[in-house]
Amino acid sequence: MTRNSDCVFCKIVSVEIPASVVYEDESLICFLDHNPLSPGHLLIVTREHYVKLTELPSDVSSKVGSVLPLAGRALLEVTGAKGFNVLCNEGAVAGQLVQHVHFHLIPRFEGDKLGYRWVAGSYEEGKAAQLTDAFQQAFTASS
Amino acid sequence: MTRNSDCVFCKIVSVEIPASVVYEDESLICFLDHNPLSPGHLLIVTREHYVKLTELPSDVSSKVGSVLPLAGRALLEVTGAKGFNVLCNEGAVAGQLVQHVHFHLIPRFEGDKLGYRWVAGSYEEGKAAQLTDAFQQAFTASS
């Protein structure tokens, strides 16, 4: 099991630091965010230390995926929220603060002023086709 | 294969509506968001029609999880972004606009003014423990 002795989430996994753990299995733990954006804000964290989502082996990331519906149903039941956001931030530019991959589940309520800043654009002529070609090559090369 | 004849993502899956598809497998397709928050904004969509993440069978949601690192690596390579957000909105209150479960991968760049509105709070005495108990019961009941 890979750990990082300076990592707060590794310390939660190893029970050096207490946390409000609500679910755990062989790959993951899920606990209440200590500084919630709304009541019932959950974090899903890998037991092993990986800094980024893009470093995760696919079997571990598939475990994260498999637990998301379960965690979401629990969240709706417990909090009474009508919806939630799942969020994973990769990299400082994207808001990643703890250097151990984690997924947020954020309960949402009317008028809560949370959510993603949504300023949608569009592609200039030809740009989407160019990106599509590049993405198809990148997916093929790394799969 | 479950489809909804009024659903724009089902129409993309069945190629009734064109899209810039960059990856597909037996469970999922991934394509460029037509109205990107930033260039290279991707959507990962289930082939079958499920409205919400909480409706997904765990084998389908695990497929979504397994493809996230691959899609993230392709995104970083193609866009030159130093990070990205993964986002899934469940419910209108959480910003879900298309009623077919989908995950956004949003490339992030310095000064882009995107990201999640982050106003963190804290729990009153006893509240976290109460929520933890309720969550533990909810996870146990539905797993």
Side-chain angles (χ1 to χ4, degrees), chain B residues 113-130:
Chain B
K113 299 184 179 170
L114 296 172
Y116 204 87
R117 297 179 190 91
W118 211 264
V119 187
S122 58
Y123 287 113
E124 289 173 29
E125 180 80 21
K127 180 67 178 170
Q130 179 197 324

Side-chain angles (χ1 to χ4, degrees), chain A residues 36 40 61 65 85-86 88-89 116 121, chain B residues 36 61 65 85-86 88-89 116 121 123:
Chain A
S61 68
N85 300 116
V86 176
C88 178
N89 300 329
Y116 203 88
Chain B
S61 68
N85 301 115
V86 177
C88 177
N89 300 330
Y116 204 87
Y123 287 113

Side-chain angles (χ1 to χ4, degrees), chain A residues 20-23 30 32-42 52-59 61-79 81-95 97 103-123 127-129 131-139 141-143, chain B residues 20-23 30 32-42 52-59 61-79 81-95 97 103-123 127-129 131-139 141-143:
Chain A
S20 300
V21 177
V22 298
Y23 170 86
C30 177
L32 293 181
D33 193 309
H34 187 62
N35 290 115
L37 297 191
S38 60
H41 177 169
L42 297 177
K52 293 176 175 180
L53 175 61
T54 49
E55 295 172 7
L56 282 187
S58 66
D59 63 321
S61 68
S62 73
K63 292 286 181 69
V64 176
S66 72
V67 87
L68 286 175
L70 172 63
R73 290 193 298 269
L75 178 154
L76 295 177
E77 179 186 331
V78 168
T79 66
K82 295 279 183 273
F84 59 91
N85 300 116
V86 176
L87 180 69
C88 178
N89 300 329
E90 162 134 347
V93 72
L97 297 176
F103 280 68
H104 300 266
L105 277 82
I106 304 163
R108 295 297 306 281
F109 302 91
E110 291 296 340
D112 62 14
K113 298 183 180 171
L114 296 171
Y116 203 88
R117 296 180 190 91
W118 212 264
V119 187
S122 58
Y123 287 113
K127 180 66 179 171
L131 279 170
T132 302
D133 286 346
F135 265 112
Q136 287 171 345
Q137 288 176 35
F139 269 96
S142 62
S143 56
Chain B
S20 300
V21 176
V22 298
Y23 169 85
C30 177
L32 292 181
D33 193 311
H34 187 63
N35 290 115
L37 298 190
S38 60
H41 178 169
L42 297 177
K52 294 178 173 180
L53 175 60
T54 48
E55 294 172 9
L56 281 187
S58 65
D59 63 320
S61 68
S62 74
K63 291 286 181 68
V64 176
S66 73
V67 87
L68 287 175
L70 172 64
R73 290 193 297 271
L75 178 155
L76 295 177
E77 180 186 331
V78 167
T79 66
K82 294 280 183 270
F84 60 90
N85 301 115
V86 177
L87 179 70
C88 177
N89 300 330
E90 162 136 346
V93 72
L97 297 177
F103 281 69
H104 300 266
L105 277 82
I106 304 162
R108 295 296 307 279
F109 302 91
E110 290 296 342
D112 61 14
K113 299 184 179 170
L114 296 172
Y116 204 87
R117 297 179 190 91
W118 211 264
V119 187
S122 58
Y123 287 113
K127 180 67 178 170
L131 279 170
T132 303
D133 286 346
F135 266 113
Q136 287 171 346
Q137 287 176 34
F139 269 96
S142 62
S143 57

